[in-house]
Amino acid sequence: MKSAVETLNPTRVRLTVEVPFEELKDSLDAAYKKINQQVTVKGFRKGKIPARVIDQRFGRGAVLEEAVNDALPKFYTEAVNEADLNPLGQPDVDITELKDGELLAFTAEVDIRPAIEIPDYSGIEVTVDAIEVSDEDVEKSVEQLRGRFASTKDVERAAQDGDVVTIDLEAKVDGEVLEDGVAQDVSYTIGSGELLEGIDEAVKGLEAGGEATFTSQLKGGSAEGKDAEVTVKVAKVSARELPELDDEFAGMASEFDTLEELKADSRKRLENMKQYDQATQAQERVLEKLLELVEVPIPEKLLADEVQTRKHNLEHHQLGQMGLSIEKYLEIQGKTVEEFDAETAEQAIKGIKTQFVLDELVNKEKLNVNQEELTEHLMRRAASSGMSPDQFAQAVVEGGQVPMLVGEVARGKALAAVVEVAKVTDTNGEVVDLSDDEDEVEQAAETVENVVEADGETAADEAK
């Protein structure tokens, strides 16, 4: 076999392959054997029909077609390996010559990973938010905890902000009561914003037995998006009673004996959360700076596939779970179709570029993924998917996605390596040291996933 490579552009090549006919022998034998099992000829046992009879009865062309279809993937792969290419997706194959007994020639055009030069990235500098937890932050956290231990008590007065009311609802559109527009004994906290727009103003000031009518746009159901006339009747008004903020509350709501210990723990937890957010912010900003340093040509077909993947996942997974159409989503976001398409393309380009650059860094720095790192990543992935680690691991193995998970961890290690040599300072001018963070690699892997992935496997992953 002879092969040659022609570079069409930085992300696409054409392979020209010539195969001497004798190298098709195994595929020809396999073709005769397959046809033998599929046909019957009077006077011959199944599977024992001579080749010359098959040629006479069914045509040599049918045999050649079967043989070529069998041989092409093997010779294409050999040509790819010989040229040391990294193809993306399936090739466009064109058989240019087929001479029985002499030669098979074909071309294969395919997108490839572009050659990327990673420049010196040690001079990257970024600024992140300082870790600051105020007394007000702590008080708010404790108040939220206090609210979870609140009780309710029926009151004989007009409803006000923060009260819990038991209500009946009836929605009409064009004067007709909707089949799915009636609800009874609904518990609602005034001011929570969890029901219809306008309901807070309608129920405030009403006592048990009172009712009011207001107009609101329906968020779901058979008349979603339409304006409805909603009648609300208050059956009961209950006031929320918060526990006293003292040592007794601390003992009831936590493992601490005093309120001061509870507040100190709340402060520590808030600091840890802000530290995590600060590390994520540093990773995101270092990644942005790194991408600015590298010129990456993007394969057109890969980009089109990635944009389609992101649109499909948004429409059929994320929005589908929320019961929203893409049209309604764009209306809520205040975006035109053109703006949405441009934004999706921009995100897709960034995702592909991130994947290419970090994969090149993995190769350049010779980064490996050990079993412990892979297991930790699998555990986090399982938790985010709502599956047990065993179930998730089984699904990954059966789906052949282990290399994809290894790639995710490796990219996390690559980004973590860049962050370690970058200069990170906070808004107070203090140097931020992220090198002691035990979860740095896994957090970096998650940061990369948020950029690279389109709610699942990327087009670049699928193209491998």
Side-chain angles (χ1 to χ4, degrees), residues 158-298:
Q160 58 191 35
D161 272 331
D163 285 346
V164 179
V165 289
T166 303
I167 54 178
D168 297 335
L169 295 165
E170 182 183 83
K172 294 180 180 179
V173 173
D174 298 330
E176 296 291 329
V177 178
L178 299 171
E179 288 187 14
D180 54 355
V182 178
Q184 295 180 323
D185 294 329
V186 176
S187 181
Y188 175 66
T189 301
I190 299 175
S192 67
E194 294 174 351
L195 278 179
L196 297 169
E197 188 175 340
I199 193 169
D200 289 340
E201 292 75 11
V203 296
K204 275 193 293 188
L206 296 181
E207 297 184 14
E211 70 174 66
T213 300
F214 63 101
T215 300
S216 182
Q217 189 178 81
L218 298 178
K219 296 180 179 179
S222 61
E224 178 185 359
K226 293 184 177 181
D227 287 338
E229 183 183 83
V230 183
T231 299
V232 56
K233 296 180 180 179
V234 177
K236 184 169 63 175
V237 178
S238 302
R240 296 174 77 243
E241 293 187 341
L242 297 171
E244 289 294 325
L245 207 54
D246 52 22
D247 292 346
E248 184 179 344
F249 165 71
M252 173 183 65
S254 70
E255 70 271 28
F256 302 105
D257 296 325
T258 68
L259 183 60
E260 287 308 308
E261 289 175 328
L262 173 60
K263 287 183 177 181
D265 180 70
S266 295
R267 183 179 295 275
K268 182 63 178 175
R269 284 189 297 103
L270 290 171
E271 287 174 350
N272 289 340
M273 289 170 58
K274 286 181 177 288
Q275 190 172 30
Y276 186 92
D277 291 342
Q278 185 190 64
T280 298
Q281 191 179 66
Q283 291 161 359
E284 290 172 346
R285 293 183 178 179
V286 167
L287 178 59
E288 290 277 0
K289 292 282 188 179
L290 176 64
L291 296 182
E292 290 174 7
L293 294 176
V294 189
E295 195 68 36
V296 182
I298 305 295

Side-chain angles (χ1 to χ4, degrees), residues 306 310 351 354-355 411 447-454 458 461:
E306 180 69 9
R310 287 173 181 262
T354 296
Q355 191 166 346
R411 290 180 204 121
T447 299
V448 173
E449 287 162 38
N450 291 336
V451 176
V452 169
E453 294 194 4
T458 68
D461 284 321

Side-chain angles (χ1 to χ4, degrees), residues 227-441:
D227 287 338
E229 183 183 83
V230 183
T231 299
V232 56
K233 296 180 180 179
V234 177
K236 184 169 63 175
V237 178
S238 302
R240 296 174 77 243
E241 293 187 341
L242 297 171
E244 289 294 325
L245 207 54
D246 52 22
D247 292 346
E248 184 179 344
F249 165 71
M252 173 183 65
S254 70
E255 70 271 28
F256 302 105
D257 296 325
T258 68
L259 183 60
E260 287 308 308
E261 289 175 328
L262 173 60
K263 287 183 177 181
D265 180 70
S266 295
R267 183 179 295 275
K268 182 63 178 175
R269 284 189 297 103
L270 290 171
E271 287 174 350
N272 289 340
M273 289 170 58
K274 286 181 177 288
Q275 190 172 30
Y276 186 92
D277 291 342
Q278 185 190 64
T280 298
Q281 191 179 66
Q283 291 161 359
E284 290 172 346
R285 293 183 178 179
V286 167
L287 178 59
E288 290 277 0
K289 292 282 188 179
L290 176 64
L291 296 182
E292 290 174 7
L293 294 176
V294 189
E295 195 68 36
V296 182
I298 305 295
E300 291 183 11
K301 186 176 185 304
L302 180 64
L303 175 59
D305 289 344
E306 180 69 9
V307 168
Q308 185 58 38
T309 298
R310 287 173 181 262
K311 286 182 176 180
H312 176 85
N313 288 337
L314 173 67
E315 187 170 359
H316 297 282
H317 295 173
Q318 295 161 278
L319 298 183
Q321 292 174 357
M322 295 187 287
L324 287 177
S325 65
I326 187 68
E327 292 78 15
K328 188 66 179 177
Y329 168 75
L330 293 179
E331 181 184 328
I332 293 171
Q333 294 290 313
K335 296 176 184 175
T336 65
V337 172
E338 292 74 20
E339 288 171 338
F340 170 71
D341 287 346
E343 184 180 281
T344 304
E346 184 180 343
Q347 292 170 347
I349 290 171
K350 184 178 180 181
I352 294 170
K353 189 173 181 179
T354 296
Q355 191 166 346
F356 283 174
V357 169
L358 293 181
D359 284 349
E360 183 62 29
L361 260 175
V362 169
N363 294 329
K364 180 181 179 181
E365 304 295 344
K366 296 181 172 56
L367 301 176
N368 296 311
V369 176
N370 60 43
Q371 186 60 49
E372 183 180 348
E373 291 167 334
L374 183 59
T375 300
E376 182 181 352
H377 186 63
L378 187 147
M379 297 281 281
R380 181 181 65 78
R381 277 292 216 166
S384 64
S385 70
M387 300 169 68
S388 72
D390 287 345
Q391 288 174 325
F392 186 78
Q394 183 178 352
V396 165
V397 172
E398 290 177 353
Q401 294 182 318
V402 173
M404 185 185 76
L405 289 189
V406 172
E408 290 172 352
V409 180
R411 290 180 204 121
K413 294 186 77 168
L415 177 56
V418 179
V419 172
E420 281 189 15
V421 299
K423 183 180 179 182
V424 182
T425 55
D426 66 20
T427 48
N428 292 333
E430 298 292 327
V431 175
V432 179
D433 184 7
L434 301 171
S435 60
D436 293 334
D437 188 352
E438 294 180 0
D439 298 324
E440 182 184 11
V441 169

Side-chain angles (χ1 to χ4, degrees), residues 45-67:
R45 284 183 296 164
K46 197 174 186 65
K48 299 295 184 179
I49 308 169
R52 60 179 176 76
V53 175
I54 290 178
D55 288 346
Q56 291 169 355
R57 289 293 187 93
F58 305 102
R60 174 71 167 176
V63 179
L64 288 176
E65 182 180 355
E66 184 67 40

